[in-house]
Amino acid sequence: MSDTPFGFGLPPEEPENGDEGKKKDQQGGGGQGGAANPFGFGGFPGAGAPGGGDNPFAAMFGNMNPGDLGAAFQQLGQMLSYEGGPVNWDMAKQIARQVVSQGTADGTKDASVGPADRSAVEEAVRLADLWLDGVTSLPSGAGTAVAWSRAEWVEATLPVWQELVDPVAERVGSAMGDVLPEEMQAMAGPLIGMMRSMGGAMFGQQIGQAVGALAGEVVGSSDVGLPLGPAGKAALLPVNIEAFGKDLSVDQNEVRLYLALREAAHQRLFAHVPWLRSHLFGAVEGYARGIKVDTSKLEDVVGQFDPQNPEEIQQALQQGMFQPEDTPEQKTALARLETALALVEGWVDAVVHEAAKDRLSSAAALRETLRRRRATGGPAEQTFATLIGLELRPRRLRDASRLWASLTDARGVDGRDGLWEHPDMLPTAEDLDDPDGFVHREQLDFSELDKMLGEAAGGPDLKKGEAPQQGEAPQQDEAKGDGTGEGDTDK
């Protein structure tokens, strides 16, 4: 990630430590303001630039062409005029699109999806759903299959990133005002407003950089284990799929189909487990609530705050202000989040392997490649660490995958998938440590439990809101008879 925010660096022709820089230090009082001022103003009179005279902008924009100058002022204006939430999402989208347009490190550029790729993706998802029908009791969850460019992925997933990131950014925004003494906060209202505007812009830049880089790596809408795209829409990125399979010595059609299996499996899970999305996002938010801001570092930034030097705040963000609180509640939140993500990814891994192992000759190799990609710091881990200060532990994915496979052997497909009916039925972090103990644990008969609860409440046949009067027998539902056996349709 660049250390110079919003393109405000030294002009390309001016060396950072060259003679001109030395002149600025000598002539413009650089001992006080030169190094701390990325805009290069130095002392205002003269500004230490040839021909600067009384024009301080000569040193700042001396060699910048008019187009770059206009863009610089426009970005500065956007930064200072922002009055929205904790993150400037318009700026985040703009920067993410810029990162995407630059291409990835291997030279791959984004491109619009053509008819051939679109048709190939639709066919792959259709076939993937057909194969999954035989290995899971959850029906198809993909109403449509789409092929996205990287730019389209950015546009489609930003609303979900906003939902994930805003809670953390809100904490930082509040902390930026809280570090000032209470008696100063009333007087410093405009300054606090400016700092929050700049903080929103800094978060926007950081998130835009991260999401833009992620768009160059992901192969679908669910690579991070969360439903980032619109519900019911299975999405793949042909340009990234091609880059992913380029060095694998595997036929591109097999690579596309295997990744389509993973995308379609995610779609089934999120479509037919209605509580899962809110459970995962609630776990992320619960963890975010326990993140504390390093106020000592923030106080240093605020104490030396220079409205002309937004780079200070950005550097503090990049160096990490986020520190998880070492409390039982925070550890529980972290375990809940890690376990939930591991269970989702483990189920997908196990189900896809079962569907592909006898149909794709490269299934085992592709499975291992994806596992290693996650274990060595893939896109999910890096993005979460950047945006919410959370580093996932992908080792839990293997534990979860083994547990789901063992459940399939012990209880069958229906018994395995039935655990998704309620979050309390799912394995816990301790169960991932001892999968055999969970698999062979005696299963609760929930129908008997419901019957017991109904009897404790006065019988399942009571009319809603009524209780039997003393000395009376419970009333029977008319459809099931009057208690004498007559008219009982079950007999």
Side-chain angles (χ1 to χ4, degrees):
M1 192 176 294
S2 171
D3 291 332
T4 54
F6 313 110
F8 289 119
L10 293 170
E13 294 81 7
E14 180 177 319
E16 185 173 358
N17 296 313
D19 293 338
E20 192 63 27
K22 294 178 181 177
K23 290 178 182 178
K24 289 175 188 175
D25 283 346
Q26 295 167 358
Q27 300 178 17
Q32 294 180 4
N37 187 349
F39 300 133
F41 277 92
F44 279 88
D54 295 328
N55 180 8
F57 295 97
M60 178 179 178
F61 301 117
N63 296 317
M64 189 176 287
N65 65 53
D68 291 339
L69 179 61
F73 274 117
Q74 182 180 8
Q75 289 182 326
L76 181 60
Q78 289 175 352
M79 181 174 64
L80 296 178
S81 63
Y82 176 69
E83 297 180 351
V87 178
N88 188 332
W89 286 102
D90 290 336
M91 180 170 287
K93 180 165 71 172
Q94 176 186 346
I95 291 176
R97 293 292 297 264
Q98 290 174 355
V99 172
V100 164
S101 67
Q102 293 169 4
T104 52
D106 62 359
T108 305
K109 296 287 188 179
D110 193 24
S112 299
V113 180
D117 282 332
R118 202 174 303 279
S119 177
V121 165
E122 292 172 355
E123 177 61 23
V125 172
R126 185 198 65 78
L127 185 56
D129 258 337
L130 185 63
W131 289 2
L132 289 172
D133 283 340
V135 295
T136 174
S137 61
L138 300 179
S140 174
T144 57
V146 294
W148 283 341
S149 66
R150 292 167 179 169
E152 288 173 323
W153 182 90
V154 168
E155 294 279 352
T157 62
L158 268 180
V160 180
W161 289 118
Q162 182 173 356
E163 190 174 346
L164 288 169
V165 175
D166 271 350
V168 178
E170 183 66 47
R171 292 182 63 82
V172 176
S174 299
M176 291 177 75
D178 294 342
V179 296
L180 289 176
E182 188 172 340
E183 60 273 13
M184 291 182 59
Q185 291 188 18
M187 295 185 295
L191 176 61
I192 294 175
M194 181 183 295
M195 289 171 59
R196 286 182 173 168
S197 294
M198 298 179 77
M202 296 306 173
F203 257 112
Q205 190 217 15
Q206 189 180 24
I207 293 163
Q209 290 276 359
V211 172
L214 188 61
E217 300 178 11
V218 295
V219 294
S221 72
S222 55
D223 277 23
V224 299
L226 294 168
L228 296 179
K233 186 173 288 188
L236 295 175
L237 282 71
V239 65
N240 289 354
I241 291 175
E242 183 178 354
F244 172 80
K246 184 168 57 177
D247 300 324
L248 295 181
S249 301
V250 176
D251 182 83
Q252 278 288 328
N253 291 325
E254 286 205 9
V255 174
R256 185 191 305 110
L257 185 50
Y258 190 86
L259 297 175
L261 280 165
R262 289 183 52 81
E263 177 72 11
H266 277 103
Q267 293 294 331
R268 289 183 181 231
L269 201 55
F270 288 118
H272 299 292
V273 182
W275 54 264
L276 182 57
R277 187 184 190 277
S278 59
H279 179 76
L280 284 169
F281 281 67
V284 173
E285 186 175 353
Y287 180 81
R289 281 197 302 268
I291 293 176
K292 63 181 180 181
V293 179
D294 188 344
T295 53
S296 62
K297 182 179 294 185
L298 191 57
E299 285 173 358
D300 291 340
V301 174
V302 174
Q304 303 173 14
F305 178 69
D306 179 359
Q308 295 176 348
N309 191 0
E311 187 178 3
E312 292 174 354
I313 299 178
Q314 184 195 4
Q315 288 175 346
L317 288 173
Q318 290 178 342
Q319 291 168 3
M321 286 186 180
F322 311 128
Q323 295 179 351
E325 291 182 338
D326 189 18
T327 63
E329 292 79 12
Q330 180 69 348
K331 290 177 180 178
T332 299
L334 177 60
R336 179 185 175 216
L337 176 57
E338 288 180 336
T339 302
L341 289 170
L343 289 174
V344 169
E345 288 297 286
W347 183 87
V348 169
D349 180 75
V351 167
V352 167
H353 180 68
E354 188 66 25
K357 65 180 182 180
D358 296 329
R359 294 183 173 99
L360 297 178
S361 59
S362 57
L366 289 169
R367 183 190 201 189
E368 189 60 30
T369 297
L370 285 166
R371 283 179 166 183
R372 289 181 179 178
R373 188 184 187 214
R374 294 292 299 274
T376 55
E381 291 72 45
Q382 294 172 359
T383 301
F384 268 87
T386 300
L387 300 186
I388 64 173
L390 171 67
E391 293 186 15
L392 303 178
R393 292 183 293 175
R395 66 178 178 83
R396 307 303 284 174
L397 183 147
R398 292 179 182 268
D399 298 335
S401 182
R402 283 194 295 269
L403 187 148
W404 288 119
S406 297
L407 281 168
T408 307
D409 294 337
R411 304 185 186 180
V413 169
D414 291 341
R416 177 201 67 201
D417 294 346
L419 293 178
W420 290 106
E421 291 180 3
H422 193 278
D424 291 344
M425 297 173 65
L426 289 177
T428 64
E430 291 74 19
D431 294 326
L432 293 181
D433 295 330
D434 181 23
D436 290 338
F438 179 83
V439 169
H440 299 294
R441 187 181 305 159
E442 183 177 354
Q443 301 180 55
L444 290 174
D445 188 339
F446 282 92
S447 63
E448 289 297 320
L449 181 60
D450 289 340
K451 183 178 179 181
M452 292 169 58
L453 292 174
E455 291 175 350
D461 294 328
L462 284 175
K463 292 183 180 179
K464 187 174 181 180
E466 293 184 4
Q469 301 297 319
Q470 187 173 3
E472 290 184 6
Q475 298 179 4
Q476 299 293 324
D477 187 87
E478 292 180 359
K480 291 187 178 181
D482 57 7
T484 63
E486 297 179 6
D488 193 335
T489 56
D490 293 336
K491 292 189 178 183

